[in-house]
């Protein structure tokens, strides 16, 4: 029933046509008219000239969930308008979900409750299949074999606006230590316009301390009201949902909560795992021994910082200084051609010193050149005097123009000065920074680079960064993973190293495992000067049959692709890395500016030689150290490396590096992307030609539809059909053609079961490989309609 909810949102759209597709709404509205000799036409965008159809609007979808332990009470409300010129007599039908027990179902139309009845799976099977055969609607295929809930008939007058709501209680599934709430929001394949507004709000309450709260599907705003309560929210406007909405969470009494999800679709190959770590240490005020932070702010005040940038820098520095306390040690370094310090050594953050620092910050003036090497040398000199970890926040908006100007030599100098206790956080402000240098520094110092786009408030970014590193932390953290008591059974773990875990800062780790078995995790580090140890027990699955954990493999692939690009950028390309980049991009549909050619219609995705040549040509763009394209490439790379959820090929990131590529952040959160251009555009000439940009925009629009994720597989649009990315040339040549709604089609559903439904439910021509055999699913040939008698 639960799937009824969110999919119901999109299902209402099919009410207008007398038939509805479960692919865009768990619930469906079915016409009560029983003369199906002349069924009402479906709306299938884009509506072709002369094609009949009714118009409809879905103005709003609102979901509220209250989750306590494993029980979710959910309400869905949808507002829609009948834009046809007649009253529709409809009944509401929706499948029972496969993923949880549903109770206390209530269905209301404009505040009036309608009666309904539950039908078990066997009773519902014939009804679903009859809907599919009668209405020639493939989307209902995925519900054959499940139960259903059905209401009585109700009218929807012409032009009327109706708010339909559904309330139910659901028992959430449990996967290891994680609870799992799923709200279906699958593609609205047949809607003629996006949903005007989607609001999803939820509140999780636990009897014990609430640990990890994580969504593998959407970027959520998560607020923790207390140790036991967290709220999450997702909002979108004018959008078509393209994936189900999921939230995972765990609970316990430890200060550090850990949970693992494993995915191993093939028992003969490596599996994949995701480890969630959520530290929630007691506040410093609750600890008798108060150990402060060591903070060094390195501020660029060169001539290019004049105006808004220097104002933002002042506000950012003032925010950090205001947060300091007497137990903290700090200093300020500002630089242009010269390097100056507020104090020649780390000093206490007492009120008198903070007030003096605030005056020092206000007096900063922008002017001069950019001495990056000198500023970093001073910062590392002072950090070496710190008692404990020292956090260096380094800001720059340009390239080195005085002192040592060679970026790689600056990096070598930093490496020679580095001490184990220094953590470097670099902020690259604007397109003029030497982005390669900043990434090299992050690699050397086990740090992080954040890229701040032109116009993005620098003070907000610095404020969020300091709120993070200002929290209590487990320093010098080390992680040990044993499988059946043995080391060396995991590999390609990202991030590969960690050093500090900050309270409230969830860490998402992904990797691969060679052998299944019992997993033992030991996390060690120092908290408030005392050695701490945390342990967790879990299991790496031998084989996972469900697709519910498939996101783990895609998240690993996203991180791995980011690491490959980083290795090529910093150390040069080699054929093995290029080939792996192409293979991962192809398999998972995670396209980059260097593999976007895969989305081109004429590209043979199985031609390794051609793919290698195109990728190597595009990778030459990584030679650029500074400028807008360099900034965007490394911002994108940063997003991949720190992705908090699996990339979705149906989303649009704008990989045309001349477009507004989102900045990296790296502090967590999601990452999604699909190539928007098959080339890296050259730097625009003066008075650049608008026609060329228009051509790129058209190509970008097409590429946005050229890659799809269906049933855990990637498909590329080639000619008139979508082709399984893993189909070999031989399989493609020998593919069996299956026309929808024929006896062979329904026999295939029975034979292949759940594995086939996502593919057979598609309304477009599609070539898919299942159990090493290829099938071409073909929509039926349209038949001429016999005009209805007056």
């Amino acid at each position: 029933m639960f799937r009824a909810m969110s999919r119901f949102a999109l299902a209402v759209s099919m009410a207008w046509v007398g038939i509805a597709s479960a692919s865009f709404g768990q619930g469906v509205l079915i016409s009560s008219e029983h003369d199906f000799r002349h069924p009402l036409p479906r709306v299938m965008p884009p509506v072709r000239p002369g094609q009949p159809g009714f118009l409809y609007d879905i103005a709003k979808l609102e979901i509220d969930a209250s989750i306590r332990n494993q029980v979710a009470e959910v309400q869905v409300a949808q507002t829609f308008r009948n834009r046809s010129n007649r009253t529709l007599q409809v009944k509401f039908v929706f499948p029972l979900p496969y993923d949880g027990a549903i109770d206390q179902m209530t269905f209301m139309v404009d505040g009036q409750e309608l009666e309904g009845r539950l039908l078990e799976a066997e009773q519902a099977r014939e009804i679903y299949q009859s809907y599919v055969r009668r209405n020639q609607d493939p989307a209902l295929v995925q519900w054959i074999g499940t139960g259903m809930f059905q209401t009585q008939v109700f009218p929807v007058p012409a032009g009327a606006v109706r708010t339909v709501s559904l309330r139910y209680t659901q028992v959430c599934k449990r996967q290891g230590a994680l609870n799992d709430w799923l709200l279906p929001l699958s593609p609205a394949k047949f809607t003629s316009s996006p949903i005007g507004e989607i609001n999803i709000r939820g509140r999780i309450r636990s009897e014990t301390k609430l640990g990890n709260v994580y969504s593998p599907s959407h970027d959520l705003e998560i607020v923790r009201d207390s140790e036991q309560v967290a709220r999450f929210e997702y909002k979108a406007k004018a959008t078509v949902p393209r994936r189900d909405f999921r939230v995972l969470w765990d609970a316990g009494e430890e200060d550090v909560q850990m949970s693992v999800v494993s995915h191993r679709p093939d028992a003969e190959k490596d599996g994949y795992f995701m480890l969630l770590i959520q530290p929630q240490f007691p506040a410093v005020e609750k600890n008798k021994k108060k150990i402060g932070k060591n903070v060094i702010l390195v501020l660029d005040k060169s001539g290019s910082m004049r105006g808004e940038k220097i104002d933002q820098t002042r506000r950012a520095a003032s925010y950090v200084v205001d947060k300091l306390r007497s137990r903290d040690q700090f200093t300020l370094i500002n630089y242009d051609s010269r390097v100056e310090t507020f104090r020649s050594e780390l000093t206490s953050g007492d009120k008198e010193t903070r007030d003096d620092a605030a005056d020092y910050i206000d007096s900063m003036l922008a002017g001069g050149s950019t001495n990056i090497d000198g500023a970093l040398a001073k910062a590392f000199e002072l950090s070496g005097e710190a008692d404990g970890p020292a956090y260096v926040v380094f800001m720059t908006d340009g390239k080195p123009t005085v002192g040592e100007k060679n970026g790689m030599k600056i990096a070598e100098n930093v490496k020679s000065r580095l001490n184990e206790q220094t953590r470097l956080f670099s902020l690259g402000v604007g397109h003029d920074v030497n982005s390669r240098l900043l990434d090299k520094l992050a690699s050397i110092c086990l740090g992080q680079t954040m890229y701040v786009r032109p116009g993005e408030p620098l003070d907000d970014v610095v404020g969020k960064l300091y709120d993070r590193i200002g929290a209590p932390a487990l320093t010098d953290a080390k992680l040990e993973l044993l499988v059946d008591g043995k080391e060396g059974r995991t590999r390609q773990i990202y991030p590969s190293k960690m050093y500090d875990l900050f309270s409230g800062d969830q860490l998402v780790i992904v990797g691969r495992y060679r052998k299944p078995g019992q997993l033992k995790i030991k996390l060690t580090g120092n908290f408030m000067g005392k050695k701490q140890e945390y342990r967790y027990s879990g299991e790496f699955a031998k084989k996972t049959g469900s697709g519910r954990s498939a996101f783990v493999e895609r998240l690993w692939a996203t991180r791995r692709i980011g690491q490959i690009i980083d290795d090529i950028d910093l150390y040069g390309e080699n054929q093995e890395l290029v080939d792996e980049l192409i293979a991962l991009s192809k398999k998972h549909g995670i396209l980059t500016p260097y593999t976007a050619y895969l989305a081109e219609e004429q590209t043979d995705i199985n031609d390794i030689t051609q793919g290698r040549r195109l990728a190597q040509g595009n990778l030459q763009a990584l030679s650029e150290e500074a400028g807008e394209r360099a900034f965007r490439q490394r911002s994108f790379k940063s997003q991949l490396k720190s992705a908090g959820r699996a990339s979705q090929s149906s989303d649009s990131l704008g990989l045309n590096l001349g477009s507004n590529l989102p900045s990296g952040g790296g502090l967590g959160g999601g990452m999604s992307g699909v190539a928007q251009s098959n080339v890296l555009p050259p730097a625009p000439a003066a008075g650049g030609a608008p026609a060329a940009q228009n051509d790129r925009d058209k190509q970008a629009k097409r590429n946005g539809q050229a890659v799809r994720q269906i049933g855990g597989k990637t498909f590329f649009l080639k000619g008139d059909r979508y082709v399984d990315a893993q189909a070999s040339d031989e399989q493609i040549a020998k593919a069996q053609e299956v026309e929808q709604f024929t006896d062979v089609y329904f026999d295939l559903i029975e034979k292949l079961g759940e594995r086939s439904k996502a593919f057979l439910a598609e309304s477009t021509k599609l070539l898919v490989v299942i159990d090493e055999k290829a099938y071409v699913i073909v929509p039926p040939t349209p038949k001429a309609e016999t005009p209805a008698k007056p």
Side-chain angles (χ1 to χ4, degrees), residues 77 250 583 759 774:
D250 60 16
F759 314 116

Side-chain angles (χ1 to χ4, degrees), residues 60-105:
K60 183 181 291 188
L61 171 62
E62 292 191 282
I63 296 107
D64 288 277
S66 178
I67 305 172
R68 190 181 184 94
N69 298 322
Q70 274 186 267
V71 179
E73 296 180 0
V74 186
Q75 176 167 311
V76 174
Q78 180 183 1
T79 302
F80 61 90
R81 176 184 290 107
N82 177 1
R83 296 187 63 187
S84 72
N85 58 5
R86 53 166 294 182
T87 296
L88 298 174
Q89 299 291 334
V90 298
K91 58 184 176 181
F92 182 56
V93 174
F94 60 87
L96 302 185
Y98 60 86
D99 64 337
I102 299 296
D103 194 11
Q104 301 178 12
M105 178 68 72

Side-chain angles (χ1 to χ4, degrees), residues 478-481 520-524 533-536:
K478 292 181 175 58
L479 194 66
E480 180 182 278
L481 287 81
K520 299 291 185 183
I521 298 175
K522 182 171 72 172
L523 173 66
T524 58
E533 182 177 295
Y534 305 91
R535 292 181 179 270
Y536 171 82

Side-chain angles (χ1 to χ4, degrees), residues 481-490 514-515 518-520:
L481 287 81
L482 301 178
V483 181
D484 289 340
K486 297 180 180 179
E487 296 181 346
R489 295 197 168 184
T490 58
R514 294 188 300 109
K515 299 283 187 180
Q518 292 300 309
L519 172 66
K520 299 291 185 183

Side-chain angles (χ1 to χ4, degrees), residues 713 724 726-728 731 767-775:
K713 283 176 167 283
D724 191 331
Q726 298 302 292
S728 67
Q731 288 171 327
L767 187 151
V768 60
V769 176
I770 305 175
D771 292 340
E772 302 301 320
K773 182 174 177 57
Y775 302 89

Side-chain angles (χ1 to χ4, degrees), residues 54 97 145-146 241 280 347 352 445 518 546 571:
F54 295 104
T146 69
Q280 294 191 74
T347 188
E352 181 180 353
C445 302
Q518 292 300 309
S546 169
Y571 308 110

